[in-house]
Amino acid sequence: MTSQETVDHKYVYDFAEGNRDLKDLLGGKGANLAEMTNLGLPVPPGFTITTEACQAYLATGREPDGLAGQIEAHLESLERGMGRRLGDPHDPLLVSVRSGAKFSMPGMMETVLNVGLNDRSVVGLAAQAGGNERFAWDSYRRLIQMFGKTVCEVPGEEFEHALDEAKRARGTTSDLDLDADDLRGLVGAYKKIFLKHTGRDFPQEPREQLDLAIRAVFESWNAERAVLYRRQERIPADLGTAVNVVAMVFGNLGPDSGTGVAFTRDPASGAQGIYGDYLANAQGEDVVAGIRNTVPLQDLERLDKRSYDELLDIMARLEGHYRDLCDIEFTIERGKLWMLQTRVGKRTAAAAFVIAGQLVDEGLIDLDEALHRVNGAQLAQLMFPRFQLDHDFEPVARGVGASPGAASGKVVFTSARAVELAAEGEAVILVRRETNPDDLNGMIAARGILTSRGGKTSHAAVVARGMGKTCVSGADEIDVNVPAKRFTVAGQTVHEGDVVSIDGTTGKVYLGEVPVTPSEVVRYFEGTLDPHEADDALVKAVHRIMTHADAARRLAVRANADTGADAARARRFGAQGIGLCRTEHMFLGDRRELVERLILARTDTERADALAALLPLQRDDFVEIFREMDGLPVTVRLIDPPLHEFLPPLEQLAVDVAVAQERGEDVAKEEALLAAVRRMHEENPMLGLRGVRLGLVIPGLFAMQVRAIAEAAVRVTRDGGSACPEIMVPLVGAVQELETVRAEAEKIIAEVVGDSGVEVLIGTMIEVPRAALTAGQIAEAAQFFSFGTNDLTQMGWGFSRDDVEGAFFWRYLELGIFGISPFESIDRDGVGRLVRIAAEEGRAARPGLKLGVCGEHGGDPESVHFFHSVGLDYVSCSPFRVPVARLEAGRAAVETVGSDSR
Ligand code: ADP
Ligand code: MG
Ligand code: MG
């Protein structure tokens, strides 16, 4: 078959041939121009060259066969329809060449207007415009400027300078004061600039102008900024852009012409009304370029009532048709309105909720659709307090916005001081070089955390995000001196007790107090703001959509909570139980001494004594939590971290011992501790003696915890409450481990529970890859699985989280090895596959096996959708993320497969 016999692949679509569902092929702009055309709205005629043509061009470096001919044919039909020819010296057709990809993308070539003008047709254009020479030369100079800049990469400033020069010569600051002669002169200056930078004259042949512009749009897909933007937004690199060729209409024909942009509702608040800007006697790009002062769109009513009424009418039709907020670009040519663009408009998080609610009221969408139109990231944004930056506050330093929110408070440098001051009712900001697990109490007490080291994945960042606490990390201009209780920044010294403000969204650090507005949405979730009484459209909309999400979702949402206070908060936020209660904090603080006794025990009796002393303390902790969660399940994880984490660090002990010896004090205990620390040292603590392994090695440890849980449950139940404990064994890799623990635990439970009616489940975490792969066996011994996806990710990838995030994740992200850290959003293909296998094989072995996930992924929107799709029963996340998980679980349930949530 010769290429002539090949039926040409269709690369060009007339506006009348397309529709809004063809965004992949025609790009967003092209698809929507086609949609408006078919709605009968006044769109200048034109055609769209497909993204496939762009892909073919980028693959081969030349236009695909058949493209040139199709462009020719569509151009001819456009010329026939307009009764003008491109480049006709007496009555030229002019066109615009506009890029338009599926997703709007800064960094790509924008638009060239007035293509088709040259030294001869500029005269014809003036004649056709009733002798309006000013208009014709203004259009021509714009063409050379835009063409030079976007097609030939001539530096835009050179044209700007020449324009400024012309205005200066005329003694004006407005381009409106330039007359035809000025503009003719400017065209001459622009041509010289063009020649200087490109080595050739400005192309006079209209068809060459058109072809070069189209090719430049294709190539702009791979411009550096576009590539960067795609990577950031995770837009696939192979989509390509479409090119729209549109007959020109002119807003620069005089005072009865103009151009403008409009929104059908306020994109900031969602309020109904007319929002937009209008500029008389101007071409499109002037409005956004801010060259002249625009007037509010309402003023158009006075200037041109007919066009204004028509525009309002069209806006209402578009909203009804798209069933959403639309943004619009239009031009008026001598009193005739033309629509040049529309799309579903971007909006703030608050507006997204408000508009979704309004559209339901207006009967345009149903609640499922409203739920689909908002997302967890938006909800999370609305839950953070914000700075009111009306006054001029200058940041003194900038770090990483590690955990969003806005916090002001007195600077403290130690966890202890943070707790002390917070107890006195002070707001404090904990400032450290970096944080470690010992800072936990201080972090809980503080309003915010500021560190000079570490990024988005440092300890401070991760823990703060988990707590929903504001954190700026890695503000490296700050020099922290903890012993001296001060830090220096930008030549200033900040002492303990001085006030700073940190913005965890932007990473900015301010000296002094910046006023903060609390989140109304949080007040609503906490129950202090009644949505029916609030006169706040946002709170009402959030309430309504959350209610629907809760009704729609299949996944239950639990919270990770270790204390009664956390549990109470989680419950207010809608948690349906606790999915992870860590018991390690129950070994901290003043209980460390007992833990030391446990570790140092030389005889069974000494060990048993230490455990017996810990038992009532743990039992009280559990009683508090079970009471708060009355009637709801509480999954308690038996102790997980290596025991040496509870001992002082080696260096500190060594110094203590040396100092005490020097003074001639009795150092027997310190020496014993030091020896224990040395003995227990591990090269890879993450893979060492922890989790179930501890339980199997240290007699009585798990037994004590199991007894404390069972006794607490019995006590709460006897007091008239209802406790539903689920004991979770961490780090199991083989069913035999679980069986051993379970046999011992069941004996204790039977003994404690007696006839109290309390039921205690025993299950396991699935966080070691081997456990996922032998889930069928493990399910025989487990009453539930809870996926510990943090460890599963660490062990699945072989990443030591604390090391890798700082060391090379940036490079992996840059190379696109992953689009997002697998600790933030679950890696579906690898770690997710382990989850899927374990879920399937576990359920095959034990039908109805209860499946959940605990860990940060439980509050991550994308991961929640994944957990929904593999059929888990619940997700568990930090209390602050519970509403986000509820919303996303609802969205997952109503979303049709393959729908696009971008
Ligand atoms: P962007 O994607 O940057 O908005 P556009 O392709 O929409 O770029 O074009 C920028 C401006 O040029 C638009 O605001 C529009 O008003 C104007 N414009 C584009 N095509 C035409 C045309 N055929 N006639 C008149 N103005 C146009
Ligand atoms: Mg536009
Ligand atoms: Mg774990």
Side-chain angles (χ1 to χ4, degrees):
M1 215 164 45
T2 71
S3 67
Q4 246 134 23
E5 286 164 325
T6 317
V7 180
D8 269 353
H9 187 78
K10 187 168 171 60
Y11 286 120
V12 184
Y13 285 69
D14 196 85
F15 287 166
E17 295 175 294
N19 65 63
R20 68 167 158 180
D21 297 325
L22 296 181
K23 286 200 183 71
D24 285 322
L25 190 64
L26 305 179
K29 198 178 287 170
N32 287 323
L33 281 167
E35 189 76 11
M36 286 199 291
T37 302
N38 292 322
L39 280 174
L41 302 186
V43 177
F47 54 86
T48 304
I49 301 165
T50 64
T51 54
E52 287 176 355
C54 174
Q55 290 159 16
Y57 175 85
L58 292 176
T60 61
R62 60 179 194 83
E63 284 77 2
D65 288 346
L67 177 60
Q70 291 181 40
I71 293 177
E72 190 65 43
H74 280 267
L75 189 59
E76 272 169 20
S77 117
L78 183 61
E79 289 175 333
R80 265 197 312 279
M82 300 292 291
R84 292 180 173 140
R85 279 186 312 101
L86 194 70
D88 183 332
H90 303 296
D91 186 10
L93 168 72
L94 305 187
V95 296
S96 62
V97 177
R98 315 167 68 184
S99 64
K102 180 176 183 187
F103 307 108
S104 90
M105 262 175 49
M108 274 170 38
M109 198 200 87
E110 287 135 29
T111 299
V112 184
L113 301 179
N114 308 331
V115 168
L117 273 180
N118 57 24
D119 293 351
R120 290 172 56 205
S121 63
V122 67
V123 179
L125 185 67
Q128 287 302 321
N132 189 340
E133 290 203 19
R134 186 196 179 278
F135 153 71
W137 287 100
D138 184 48
S139 301
Y140 193 21
R141 70 96 189 159
R142 286 172 189 268
L143 168 64
I144 302 172
Q145 184 167 357
M146 279 185 265
F147 190 94
K149 203 173 119 191
T150 57
V151 179
C152 301
E153 288 163 18
V154 179
E157 313 85 71
E158 300 229 4
F159 295 120
E160 306 291 344
H161 286 157
L163 180 59
D164 288 343
E165 194 49 49
K167 286 194 258 186
R168 199 171 311 126
R170 184 43 66 188
T172 179
T173 53
S174 165
D175 56 321
L176 284 182
D177 293 331
L178 299 178
D179 66 17
D181 284 336
D182 297 331
L183 291 164
R184 190 183 288 115
L186 195 56
V187 164
Y190 276 11
K191 281 192 192 160
K192 285 207 191 90
I193 295 170
F194 189 93
L195 175 62
K196 184 175 101 195
H197 281 278
T198 63
R200 60 163 291 183
D201 285 325
F202 178 74
Q204 291 292 311
E205 180 52 52
R207 186 57 206 267
E208 190 192 2
Q209 292 173 3
L210 180 62
D211 289 338
L212 288 176
I214 291 170
R215 186 179 281 200
V217 174
F218 286 161
E219 285 174 354
S220 71
W221 177 257
N222 283 331
E224 197 177 335
R225 257 182 61 205
V227 172
L228 277 175
Y229 180 81
R230 282 201 292 274
R231 209 174 272 154
Q232 222 170 46
E233 298 294 310
R234 293 195 281 156
I235 295 174
D238 55 1
L239 296 177
T241 178
V243 188
N244 302 290
V245 177
V246 189
M248 282 302 299
V249 291
F250 299 101
N252 53 341
L253 267 172
D256 58 351
S257 303
T259 185
V261 295
F263 289 91
T264 55
R265 316 188 178 217
D266 184 349
S269 71
Q272 275 137 318
I274 295 148
Y275 297 85
D277 300 300
Y278 181 73
L279 192 56
N281 201 5
Q283 266 199 334
E285 76 283 0
D286 295 349
V287 179
V288 273
I291 293 175
R292 272 185 267 142
N293 285 338
T294 57
V295 300
L297 187 57
Q298 280 81 350
D299 289 10
L300 181 61
E301 182 168 23
R302 193 169 36 77
L303 296 171
D304 180 351
K305 172 116 174 72
R306 231 176 38 136
S307 296
Y308 181 75
D309 288 344
E310 188 184 356
L311 182 65
L312 257 47
D313 189 55
I314 289 175
M315 279 163 66
R317 275 186 72 188
L318 284 175
E319 270 229 338
H321 186 69
Y322 283 87
R323 301 177 302 125
D324 207 344
L325 160 85
C326 294
D327 77 23
I328 286 164
E329 295 177 1
F330 66 92
T331 280
I332 296 173
E333 178 179 317
R334 287 190 173 140
K336 161 97 181 95
L337 175 69
W338 294 97
M339 301 301 294
L340 291 173
Q341 185 175 328
T342 192
R343 67 183 162 204
V344 167
K346 293 205 180 359
R347 66 206 70 188
T348 61
F353 277 87
V354 170
I355 291 172
Q358 287 168 354
L359 293 172
V360 173
D361 288 336
E362 292 163 28
L364 287 173
I365 62 175
D366 61 14
L367 274 165
D368 278 1
E369 179 66 29
L371 182 53
H372 175 68
R373 297 236 184 131
V374 296
N375 63 52
Q378 290 166 335
L379 182 62
Q381 256 184 43
L382 295 173
M383 290 177 66
F384 292 110
R386 290 183 315 272
F387 279 138
Q388 294 170 285
L389 283 170
D390 346 317
H391 321 282
D392 289 334
F393 284 99
E394 279 300 317
V396 288
R398 184 182 297 211
V400 178
S403 179
S408 288
K410 292 188 170 172
V411 168
V412 294
F413 294 94
T414 63
S415 189
R417 188 72 185 136
V419 173
E420 241 170 71
L421 279 186
E424 292 168 18
E426 297 278 6
V428 300
I429 304 288
L430 179 64
V431 182
R432 311 276 296 165
R433 263 154 53 118
E434 53 206 335
T435 59
N436 63 51
D438 264 338
D439 293 319
L440 215 57
N441 287 331
M443 293 175 78
I444 292 170
R447 285 282 167 85
I449 297 124
L450 169 62
T451 70
S452 60
R453 301 228 308 237
K456 249 198 159 79
T457 53
S458 61
H459 177 268
V462 171
V463 174
R465 275 204 295 279
M467 294 177 178
K469 195 144 288 191
T470 303
C471 175
V472 171
S473 65
D476 53 16
E477 296 124 288
I478 288 179
D479 192 6
V480 183
N481 187 338
V482 172
K485 297 191 192 163
R486 61 163 190 253
F487 71 77
T488 51
V489 61
Q492 306 185 61
T493 302
V494 176
H495 298 275
E496 185 178 279
D498 293 348
V499 174
V500 298
S501 301
I502 59 173
D503 186 331
T505 308
T506 60
K508 289 179 185 165
V509 180
Y510 305 86
L511 298 186
E513 178 157 355
V514 184
V516 171
T517 332
S519 158
E520 301 246 289
V521 171
V522 167
R523 288 181 49 215
Y524 154 67
F525 282 129
E526 286 181 333
T528 55
L529 192 65
D530 181 342
H532 304 291
E533 277 162 22
D535 53 11
D536 184 312
L538 174 61
V539 168
K540 283 189 198 304
V542 168
H543 171 67
R544 187 169 190 191
I545 292 173
M546 288 305 292
T547 306
H548 187 63
D550 286 339
R553 67 191 158 90
R554 188 187 52 68
L555 279 174
V557 177
R558 299 193 191 178
N560 302 345
D562 305 347
T563 62
D566 275 358
R569 183 166 198 226
R571 209 171 173 160
R572 285 200 301 275
F573 278 14
Q576 296 157 286
I578 290 179
L580 175 63
C581 171
R582 301 176 185 86
T583 51
E584 38 271 26
H585 84 273
M586 303 176 183
F587 291 77
L588 290 172
D590 47 9
R591 302 172 189 184
R592 266 180 198 277
E593 209 240 324
L594 293 173
V595 179
E596 286 172 10
R597 266 171 60 193
L598 171 70
I599 294 171
L600 296 180
R602 279 159 307 179
T603 65
D604 289 350
T605 334
E606 279 178 19
R607 186 185 317 107
D609 284 351
L611 286 169
L614 277 165
L615 175 74
L617 302 173
Q618 294 228 322
R619 189 177 52 218
D620 289 350
D621 294 334
F622 294 131
V623 165
E624 199 186 317
I625 292 169
F626 293 157
R627 286 218 170 104
E628 289 294 350
M629 297 311 284
D630 188 43
L632 298 178
V634 176
T635 308
V636 180
R637 180 175 72 183
L638 300 181
I639 186 156
D640 184 45
L643 283 189
H644 53 77
E645 279 196 8
F646 300 99
L647 296 180
L650 183 66
E651 306 77 24
Q652 187 196 321
L653 270 175
V655 172
D656 287 355
V657 168
V659 170
Q661 275 169 341
E662 190 80 356
R663 293 201 193 116
E665 291 168 13
D666 174 20
V667 289
K669 190 181 151 222
E670 283 73 15
E671 279 175 339
L673 267 182
L674 183 58
V677 170
R678 291 217 164 99
R679 187 172 68 243
M680 291 164 77
H681 171 80
E682 292 178 314
E683 292 296 339
N684 293 306
M686 202 74 74
L687 303 176
L689 180 57
R690 53 176 284 227
V692 67
R693 303 159 194 175
L694 273 178
L696 297 177
V697 165
I698 301 187
L701 177 61
F702 276 12
M704 179 276 289
Q705 291 200 295
V706 169
R707 187 175 293 277
I709 293 165
E711 288 182 1
V714 169
R715 177 176 309 170
V716 169
T717 306
R718 293 242 155 91
D719 291 348
S722 157
C724 318
E726 304 177 339
I727 293 177
M728 177 158 82
V729 185
L731 223 72
V732 164
V735 67
Q736 293 84 350
E737 293 170 312
L738 183 61
E739 280 167 351
T740 311
V741 172
R742 187 174 170 186
E744 187 189 15
E746 277 178 338
K747 254 190 254 149
I748 297 167
I749 292 167
E751 180 193 311
V752 174
V753 161
D755 59 359
S756 64
V758 168
E759 202 195 340
V760 184
L761 300 186
I762 299 179
T764 184
M765 290 190 81
I766 301 288
E767 54 184 340
V768 176
R770 190 181 188 283
L773 297 174
T774 59
Q777 296 168 18
I778 294 178
E780 303 282 350
Q783 289 172 290
F784 64 88
F785 284 174
S786 176
F787 291 95
T789 53
N790 292 348
D791 263 313
L792 200 56
T793 300
Q794 292 209 101
M795 297 192 214
W797 281 88
F799 286 158
S800 149
R801 176 168 193 174
D802 293 339
D803 298 318
V804 295
E805 290 192 316
F808 62 82
F809 265 29
W810 59 273
R811 181 68 178 144
Y812 272 43
L813 291 162
E814 190 180 82
L815 288 170
I817 293 172
F818 28 72
I820 184 168
S821 159
F823 291 109
E824 262 176 59
S825 199
I826 191 155
D827 147 42
R828 291 183 182 224
D829 298 345
V831 177
R833 179 133 191 269
L834 288 169
V835 172
R836 194 183 288 276
I837 289 170
E840 280 167 11
E841 299 189 0
R843 284 228 171 107
R846 183 190 280 258
L849 176 70
K850 182 146 60 157
L851 300 174
V853 62
C854 57
E856 282 163 70
H857 289 128
D860 167 65
E862 293 215 6
S863 307
V864 170
H865 286 244
F866 173 75
F867 298 133
H868 171 86
S869 76
V870 292
L872 301 196
D873 297 302
Y874 69 87
V875 296
S876 185
C877 53
S878 65
F880 201 71
R881 299 295 291 187
V882 164
V884 171
R886 283 163 55 200
L887 184 76
E888 289 292 350
R891 294 185 69 222
V894 301
E895 258 163 33
T896 47
V897 186
S899 76
D900 187 354
S901 59
R902 194 186 292 278

